[in-house]
Amino acid sequence: MALSILFENGCQHLATEPPVFFTDLNLDQVVDAITAQREEYDLKPYFYTALNTVDSIQYRHEIMQDIEKQDVLDRLKAFSKDMSSVRAHLAQADKLYYSRQKERWMLDAVSIYFNAVQKLSEDLLAADLKSRGLLAFRNFLKEHIESDQFTSFQSEARRLTDALNTIRYCMLINGSSIRISRYENEADYAAEVETTFERFKQGTVKNYMTSFPDYVDMNHVEAGILNVVARLYSDTFSDLSTYCSNLSRYIVETVSVFEHEVQFYIACLDYIAKFRQAELPFCYPQVSSDCKEILCNDGFDAALALKLIEKKLPVVCNSFYLKGRERIFVVTGPNQGGKTTFARTFGQLHYLASIGCPVPGRKAHLFLPDKIFTHFEKKETIHNLRGKLQDDLIRIHDILQQATLDSIVVMNEIFTSTTLKDALFLSKKIMERIISLDLLCICVTFMGELSSLSETTVSMTSMVVPESPSLRTFKVERMPANGLAYALSIAERYQVTYDHLMERIAP
Amino acid sequence: MKVFLMYRDRDFDTQAVMPSNELLLTQDLELKTLFNAMSGGDSTISEVVRKALLMGADSLNTIQYRQNILKDCLKNASVVHSIYDIAVASITARKKHYYGIFTRYPDSVLRNALELMQVLVSLLIELKTIAETHIGAFDSEGFQAFFTMLMDNLSDEYLLGIRNHMEYLRSRKGVLISAGLGTGNKGVRYMLHRFQEEKRIWWKQLWQAIGKCFFIRKQIENIVRISERDESGARVLTELRNKGMNLVADALARSADHILGFLDTLRMETAFYVGCLNLHDLLVEIEEPVCFPLPLSAERRKLQCIELYDVCLSLIMRRKVVGNDLNLEGKDLVIITGANQGGKSTFLRSIGLSRLMMQCGMFVGARYFCSDVCAGVFTHYKREEDTAMNSGKLDEEISRMSDIADDIRPNSVLLFNESFAATNEREGSEIARQITCALMEKRVKVFFVTHQYEFARIFHEKKMDNVVFLRADRRQDGSRSFRLMENPPLETSFGEDLYHSVFTGSLSGKKAGNTTYGSLHP
């Protein structure tokens, strides 16, 4: 089996469809942005497939950290550019009709390939690598390019290319015939004319060269000429034919798998670079499969942040942590205050960590879940309230059925389509189940009561600008869900805080 | 091959960036009148003299170089005119054989280039003939070099070589092209070779026929034939031929452009001298004197002239006008005061014009003229419009002064005409004083026409050696002589005279007391 730089123990089964929560967490946008302009590599399945051990995540982190060094990244990009040129050449060769033309395209493809592989090997040997994956690949490559097969094919390709490049032939066009002969150092007549008039040169003048369309294909006349040229230089051309017919499977699987898989890393790093340019941090999370004490400093929703960066708008980062027995974030606060974004951030971070990617944030300790569940409001259907509530309940029921002790649940605005009393009742019931399962959970709600259900719940509140409560800061902070921050800011403005009143009220 | 009739060692730059004060200078010195007179309706001349005058020559040496060439031109006017006509003919030829953008195909490019080249070569031969015939009548270094260059570069055998190429390109039958192998073994790096068809001699033909019988395979092998019905094949063949012709068509067309470039430079440079000849004719006709000025280094301060007149004024009046005689040495500031319409503006213009004309190598309007050259001529004239908006006007004037300050350098000349008068005399004088003192310290040569007595008085009382006062002269009877004399400023001008002149129609009706008006402040 070929060496893999994505899976240490060989390729695992890849998902072809995105996980169901992708859209809820904006991960579809994230993955679209990462894989944009790399469609030919079909990278999405790698992003759809979460890893299940901390070690396999570590395996990717090591490789990512090696590739992250600018020189290594540049070299790998150059390599994949060469490889796509090889593919383009071969595809072109396939399409062509005349064999002498086909053979030249193949020779070019092979030459590019050999040079690219050799260069890659040299580059990797020069690079300071630490990852298991790249070290193994480097060793493989070194052996490969030192093999007899590789060196003999490569030198023959060089020899043939040189020989073909030095060929020059003459065509005497007279009437409807072309007489072809070897080029015998005939003088360049255009140059002669130019020399004659050299003395009049007054500076630059315009170019009168007609440009001719340059087709890849040959027409029958060109092919006929090429055949004669091939006869005039029969040694070179017969060597070329022999060489091409002996070429088979010269692209080794390990190299092509590598080139494919390395796109995962390049794509991620290119994506992250956009954020770093806007001074938004990405970090390698510390991932654990047993400790649920999570932490994140300055996390953000990558999908939203990218849109804001493009519009040159500021991005608000949020920090959060869970300690000891704490498991559940209950997020409350004014509408449009960044609650949903906060919940998405929480979900995105955990998912991105589970595929071995760096995550949006300055520092992160995250939990490796077996599954992630999301419950986001489905499209409103106002005329069928009863059906919707029912649908909500069924979905939550399903989630709770499938969830294990290692799952993560993200709930956004549950039970908005019923009375407060009902909603509170249902929510409490659901929350009790979640608490008893000891799930990691984030729950966005308008019901502040949920935040004090147990010692495992943590209350987070989206903040407003104190002086002007209608302005959102999009900050979500640990804060009791009693709306005090909001009230305090108004008190401040009307100078009725304690300090103010102490001063204002006369003795 | 270089023309070098404007500079000893470089072409006249028709694309040169004009000084930023071009428009003001043209307006203030009435240069349009001069350009029109010189061009005689020829737009090329008009353009060239405009550039030559405003740019000036780069050194005393170049001024001398052009003066000598111009002297030759005055001696051999008809020869110079015919050289100019030959150069102009090249433009006509170019228009006729213009390579339209739709005819950009090697065959048509080549055909056009051949036709154009034919005309151009015959123009070159005409030039060479002129050179051979008239070289003896020219003394200047410039013309000697130009004629010698033509004779050296257009030798008979060289011209024969050109004809040879053109003959071959016109009559070619077969086309010999070479190529290399490029991407996908397609032909690249096409190159055209000269192919001489062998003369068919009967025994050679026989030999070939025999050869064909024995080595028939070999013969067929290396030939690709396009059958008559193969239309696409024929198209490919044409394209191949075109690819080869492309290079030589390009080379020939570019060569034609180079020759055109040469003739165009010749046209531009002779246009200047033809313009001078035109002006000379006009001035001689009205019996105005002209002279070749004696230019001195820019560091010097000297203005010595006899009958220096305003060329533009005499061109407009179509008669001889009053000139001024001066002999100033070591003066950095010339303050001109005196009667209205006493010839102050005319004098100021003649100063500007004579310097521009001298510095581009022309003759000047004077019987004798000797002066230092300057780094640039600047004008700051009172603008007549918006008299009502005094503050806005002063603002505009000062902003113009600020523009000048951006560009002016030491040893430039700055001509002020009633500047900074848009405010009261005290303020205006103070502004003018501060500006003038700064300019003098920066070694700018200042000519200041002013009515502001206060301003003139300040400098007069300092009794500086490098300041001189000129005054519009006034005869005892009150009429103007339009001549300026070295005289201190007077506290009043002669506006009342003008009033009387306008309102009574004659000076004779004046009251007796007015005649002594000027002597109140000697």
Side-chain angles (χ1 to χ4, degrees):
Chain A
M1 196 197 316
L3 190 68
S4 166
I5 53 165
L6 285 174
F7 305 98
E8 190 177 18
N9 302 312
C11 188
Q12 79 182 55
H13 177 70
L14 290 178
T16 52
E17 292 296 323
V20 284
F21 54 81
F22 245 49
T23 320
D24 288 344
L25 296 183
N26 277 352
L27 280 164
D28 53 342
Q29 295 175 37
V30 171
V31 171
D32 281 351
I34 294 176
T35 57
Q37 268 119 44
R38 293 189 166 81
E39 287 76 10
E40 63 168 321
Y41 293 105
D42 188 23
L43 294 176
K44 282 188 179 171
Y46 298 123
F47 290 95
Y48 296 159
T49 310
L51 301 173
N52 43 30
T53 67
V54 172
D55 189 55
S56 57
I57 290 172
Q58 190 55 37
Y59 185 70
R60 290 191 185 177
H61 281 185
E62 287 170 12
I63 294 172
M64 189 83 79
Q65 278 160 344
D66 269 347
I67 295 178
E68 196 172 13
K69 291 165 199 149
Q70 195 58 48
D71 54 337
V72 179
L73 182 61
D74 289 345
R75 285 158 183 188
L76 288 172
K77 281 183 181 176
F79 172 68
S80 49
K81 208 173 155 200
D82 286 343
M83 286 301 282
S84 60
S85 165
V86 170
R87 282 191 292 275
H89 273 73
L90 290 176
Q92 186 59 57
D94 248 10
K95 275 189 240 161
L96 293 168
Y97 175 73
Y98 295 106
S99 63
R100 295 205 186 281
Q101 214 194 345
K102 244 185 202 330
E103 285 166 1
R104 181 67 190 264
W105 278 93
M106 282 173 73
L107 177 66
D108 287 352
V110 173
S111 305
I112 298 168
Y113 172 75
F114 286 141
N115 292 340
V117 170
Q118 190 182 3
K119 182 85 180 41
L120 178 66
S121 177
E122 287 162 10
D123 288 344
L124 290 181
L125 282 169
D128 174 24
L129 302 180
K130 300 217 165 55
S131 63
R132 288 166 273 169
L134 290 186
L135 286 172
F137 179 70
R138 177 164 84 180
N139 287 340
F140 164 82
L141 212 55
K142 186 165 180 292
E143 264 174 48
H144 174 58
I145 65 162
E146 282 167 1
S147 69
D148 287 347
Q149 200 204 7
F150 186 92
T151 50
S152 65
F153 264 123
Q154 188 185 24
S155 63
E156 178 66 356
R158 278 188 190 149
R159 189 187 70 79
L160 283 170
T161 307
D162 289 348
L164 287 165
N165 284 343
T166 51
I167 287 176
R168 195 163 180 89
Y169 57 95
C170 279
M171 291 169 284
L172 176 59
I173 306 172
N174 214 342
S176 61
S177 74
I178 309 168
R179 183 194 300 267
I180 295 126
S181 58
R182 284 169 177 258
Y183 171 69
E184 308 280 3
N185 288 319
E186 285 89 347
D188 179 352
Y189 186 54
E192 234 175 85
V193 170
E194 209 146 333
T195 316
T196 305
F197 292 99
E198 181 83 52
R199 60 187 64 181
F200 293 103
K201 219 164 210 170
Q202 302 288 315
T204 50
V205 291
K206 80 178 195 196
N207 184 344
Y208 288 94
M209 214 68 110
T210 310
S211 55
F212 292 92
D214 198 10
Y215 301 110
V216 176
D217 286 327
M218 270 189 175
N219 52 55
H220 63 290
V221 178
E222 286 175 299
I225 294 170
L226 184 57
N227 272 335
V228 178
V229 174
R231 254 190 324 261
L232 290 172
Y233 297 91
S234 58
D235 291 355
T236 305
F237 277 87
S238 70
D239 286 355
L240 176 62
S241 296
T242 316
Y243 184 74
C244 287
S245 60
N246 288 338
L247 277 178
S248 62
R249 301 186 57 76
Y250 59 92
I251 300 185
V252 295
E253 195 192 357
T254 304
V255 172
S256 61
V257 167
F258 172 81
E259 198 255 332
H260 188 240
E261 291 186 339
V262 82
Q263 302 307 318
F264 173 87
Y265 297 100
I266 296 177
C268 287
L269 291 168
D270 278 357
Y271 179 73
I272 292 168
K274 293 181 193 166
F275 294 90
R276 291 196 170 148
Q277 224 162 30
E279 291 174 356
L280 286 171
F282 262 73
C283 66
Y284 291 93
Q286 189 180 312
V287 182
S288 164
S289 57
D290 42 32
C291 175
K292 292 187 179 178
E293 283 198 346
I294 60 157
L295 167 148
C296 170
N297 293 342
D298 295 341
F300 55 90
D301 172 353
L304 176 67
L306 193 61
K307 283 183 192 161
L308 294 173
I309 290 170
E310 279 162 7
K311 289 180 189 157
K312 302 207 183 320
L313 291 170
V315 176
V316 175
C317 297
N318 278 303
S319 301
F320 56 82
Y321 64 87
L322 293 174
K323 268 198 311 205
R325 300 260 304 120
E326 292 168 351
R327 295 289 181 269
I328 301 167
F329 290 111
V330 175
V331 188
T332 57
N335 289 329
Q336 303 290 316
K339 289 177 297 180
T340 304
T341 298
F342 182 73
R344 284 203 179 106
T345 306
F346 175 85
Q348 269 182 24
L349 254 66
H350 280 94
Y351 186 74
L352 291 174
S354 77
I355 57 169
C357 283
V359 297
R362 197 169 303 285
K363 179 182 179 189
H365 295 173
L366 299 170
F367 180 70
L368 175 61
D370 61 348
K371 280 173 184 152
I372 294 177
F373 296 99
T374 57
H375 180 96
F376 277 54
E377 223 174 12
K378 292 292 167 198
K379 210 175 194 178
E380 302 268 3
T381 46
I382 290 164
H383 52 273
N384 194 359
L385 288 181
R386 199 171 148 202
K388 189 166 185 302
L389 180 62
Q390 202 172 353
D391 177 58
D392 273 356
L393 274 172
I394 291 169
R395 278 165 55 208
I396 290 177
H397 177 258
D398 284 352
I399 289 171
L400 293 175
Q401 285 284 303
Q402 292 174 46
T404 74
L405 166 91
D406 289 335
S407 301
I408 286 180
V409 175
V410 179
M411 285 195 291
N412 190 30
E413 303 283 11
I414 45 171
F415 307 133
T416 51
S417 48
T418 184
T419 61
L420 178 62
K421 200 179 156 209
D422 274 0
L424 207 52
F425 170 77
L426 291 168
S427 301
K428 279 184 178 167
K429 286 286 167 204
I430 303 292
M431 289 299 279
E432 277 163 17
R433 293 286 302 270
I434 290 172
I435 291 163
S436 69
L437 275 168
D438 201 31
L439 292 178
L440 267 184
C441 174
I442 183 162
C443 175
V444 174
T445 181
F446 59 95
M447 294 169 277
E449 293 85 342
L450 298 184
S451 63
S452 48
L453 281 179
S454 124
E455 55 170 340
T456 65
T457 54
V458 172
S459 175
M460 306 280 289
T461 309
S462 60
M463 307 299 285
V464 291
V465 178
E467 292 75 30
S468 168
S470 61
L471 283 181
R472 310 306 195 230
T473 63
F474 301 110
K475 276 279 182 198
V476 177
E477 286 179 8
R478 265 185 181 237
M479 180 96 46
N482 58 9
L484 200 59
Y486 185 79
L488 266 176
S489 71
I490 297 169
E492 193 76 44
R493 202 148 53 100
Y494 290 97
Q495 303 198 344
V496 288
T497 59
Y498 177 79
D499 290 345
H500 279 298
L501 289 176
M502 286 299 283
E503 281 192 2
R504 286 169 74 181
I505 298 167
Chain B
M1 284 173 68
K2 294 290 184 183
V3 178
F4 292 164
L5 286 174
M6 289 297 272
Y7 294 96
R8 193 175 269 107
D9 52 5
R10 62 186 168 98
D11 288 336
F12 179 61
D13 184 5
T14 53
Q15 305 301 316
V17 182
M18 300 303 279
S20 56
N21 64 338
E22 176 191 351
L23 287 178
L24 290 177
L25 207 55
T26 308
Q27 184 181 343
D28 293 340
L29 299 182
E30 300 277 353
L31 292 179
K32 283 225 167 80
T33 308
L34 183 66
F35 299 154
N36 286 342
M38 292 181 77
S39 73
D42 182 323
S43 60
T44 306
I45 298 177
S46 169
E47 191 57 22
V48 171
V49 296
R50 183 175 70 87
K51 290 195 165 134
L53 268 156
L54 290 169
M55 295 304 297
D58 53 352
S59 65
L60 291 179
N61 210 323
T62 304
I63 294 175
Q64 195 61 53
Y65 184 74
R66 292 186 191 175
Q67 282 189 1
N68 290 339
I69 291 175
L70 184 52
K71 285 172 190 165
D72 263 350
C73 292
L74 291 170
K75 263 198 302 176
N76 301 285
S78 69
V79 178
V80 175
H81 276 291
S82 51
I83 293 176
Y84 180 65
D85 291 343
I86 291 172
V88 170
S90 70
I91 302 301
T92 324
R94 170 165 55 190
K95 281 183 187 143
K96 195 171 158 196
H97 300 281
Y98 180 69
Y99 314 93
I101 43 166
F102 299 112
T103 58
R104 285 289 286 272
Y105 217 64
D107 257 347
S108 58
V109 170
L110 183 65
R111 197 171 46 245
N112 271 314
L114 275 170
E115 284 170 13
L116 178 57
M117 192 60 100
Q118 182 85 26
V119 179
L120 296 181
V121 168
S122 67
L123 292 177
L124 289 174
I125 292 172
E126 275 184 58
L127 279 179
K128 183 196 165 194
T129 313
I130 287 179
E132 285 167 344
T133 320
H134 297 285
I135 188 163
F138 287 77
D139 305 317
S140 64
E141 178 195 347
F143 265 114
Q144 281 292 329
F146 175 68
F147 287 147
T148 313
M149 179 272 299
L150 285 176
M151 291 172 351
D152 287 352
N153 277 294
L154 301 174
S155 68
D156 289 343
E157 72 241 58
Y158 175 69
L159 291 170
L160 189 70
I162 292 184
R163 237 176 258 132
N164 205 338
H165 279 306
M166 290 170 56
E167 201 63 39
Y168 170 69
L169 286 170
R170 209 177 287 122
S171 67
R172 84 212 131 78
K173 293 205 177 69
V175 174
L176 181 62
I177 302 167
S178 71
L181 297 173
T183 312
N185 281 339
K186 283 179 65 114
V188 286
R189 300 192 307 277
Y190 288 97
M191 200 195 283
L192 184 77
H193 306 290
R194 194 168 172 140
F195 159 66
Q196 289 301 29
E197 216 169 354
E198 291 169 53
K199 289 224 169 71
R200 297 236 163 176
I201 304 166
W202 68 269
W203 56 263
K204 240 185 182 172
Q205 277 177 310
L206 182 66
W207 185 244
Q208 277 173 353
I210 295 165
K212 266 182 191 166
C213 292
F214 286 97
F215 308 103
I216 194 141
R217 237 188 90 250
K218 181 110 182 126
Q219 283 291 325
I220 296 165
E221 211 172 35
N222 294 342
I223 291 183
V224 173
R225 284 185 203 285
I226 315 295
S227 75
E228 269 179 46
R229 261 173 269 153
D230 183 359
E231 278 178 31
S232 74
R235 263 201 305 279
V236 175
L237 198 68
T238 310
E239 181 168 313
L240 200 56
R241 192 202 311 269
N242 270 320
K243 278 182 183 168
M245 296 317 296
N246 202 9
L247 299 154
V248 78
D250 174 57
L252 195 70
R254 278 188 295 114
S255 299
D257 270 6
H258 283 306
I259 298 182
L260 272 174
F262 168 78
L263 289 171
D264 203 41
T265 308
L266 179 64
R267 183 172 67 105
M268 295 297 172
E269 300 199 357
T270 44
F272 171 72
Y273 296 103
V274 171
C276 295
L277 289 177
N278 291 342
L279 179 65
H280 190 262
D281 288 350
L282 288 171
L283 294 176
V284 166
E285 208 176 302
I286 52 176
E287 296 178 347
E288 281 284 22
V290 293
C291 70
F292 279 94
L294 181 58
L296 304 174
S297 133
E299 299 299 326
R300 291 277 299 272
R301 299 289 181 272
K302 184 181 171 84
L303 178 59
Q304 188 179 11
C305 57
I306 300 172
E307 272 190 54
L308 172 68
Y309 62 94
D310 175 2
V311 173
C312 291
L313 183 65
S314 47
L315 286 170
I316 290 170
M317 308 286 278
R318 292 179 181 284
R319 62 173 168 77
K320 203 164 157 42
V321 296
V322 178
N324 280 294
D325 303 344
L326 288 171
N327 192 0
L328 308 177
E329 181 91 46
K331 305 298 179 194
D332 290 313
L333 171 62
V334 179
I335 292 177
I336 302 125
T337 60
N340 276 321
Q341 298 198 347
K344 299 193 300 289
S345 293
T346 304
F347 169 71
L348 203 60
R349 201 156 52 226
S350 71
I351 290 290
L353 271 177
S354 57
R355 281 180 182 268
L356 288 179
M357 288 168 77
M358 172 176 78
Q359 289 192 204
C360 74
M362 289 176 71
F363 46 76
V364 299
R367 197 168 296 286
Y368 175 82
F369 189 86
C370 172
S371 167
D372 45 83
V373 296
C374 61
V377 176
F378 295 83
T379 52
H380 188 276
Y381 275 41
K382 180 182 77 175
R383 291 277 168 267
E384 300 298 337
E385 54 269 22
D386 343 310
T387 39
M389 302 165 63
N390 273 351
S391 68
K393 200 175 162 197
L394 185 67
D395 193 300
E396 185 272 337
E397 278 189 57
I398 292 175
S399 110
R400 258 192 294 131
M401 186 58 226
S402 148
D403 292 344
I404 290 172
D406 286 339
D407 293 331
I408 204 161
R409 288 168 295 149
N411 294 325
S412 296
V413 165
L414 179 44
L415 308 175
F416 287 103
N417 196 2
E418 300 190 25
S419 301
F420 314 119
T423 177
N424 67 56
E425 182 160 333
R426 189 172 297 276
E427 284 175 10
S429 298
E430 178 58 14
I431 293 172
R433 186 191 66 83
Q434 292 190 19
I435 291 172
T436 307
C437 286
L439 290 168
M440 286 169 72
E441 289 198 20
K442 290 286 171 194
R443 302 283 296 144
V444 173
K445 308 164 187 180
V446 181
F447 289 80
F448 210 127
V449 167
T450 184
H451 284 299
Q452 293 189 320
Y453 176 74
E454 178 66 15
F455 167 70
R457 186 189 58 82
I458 294 166
F459 282 96
H460 188 237
E461 284 179 359
K462 283 189 187 171
K463 302 206 184 302
M464 295 158 79
D465 286 342
N466 58 345
V467 180
V468 67
F469 296 87
L470 301 180
R471 207 171 72 205
D473 187 36
R474 184 167 181 273
R475 294 191 187 117
Q476 284 305 305
D477 64 357
S479 71
R480 275 84 172 145
S481 70
F482 299 110
R483 269 180 202 278
L484 296 176
M485 308 297 278
E486 275 189 56
N487 268 320
L490 298 180
E491 197 169 354
T492 183
S493 292
F494 299 85
E496 204 170 325
D497 293 349
L498 188 63
Y499 170 85
H500 284 293
S501 157
V502 172
F503 282 86
T504 63
S506 82
L507 295 165
S508 56
K510 279 192 292 94
K511 287 174 185 153
N514 280 351
T515 51
T516 56
Y517 196 68
S519 59
L520 288 173
H521 302 276

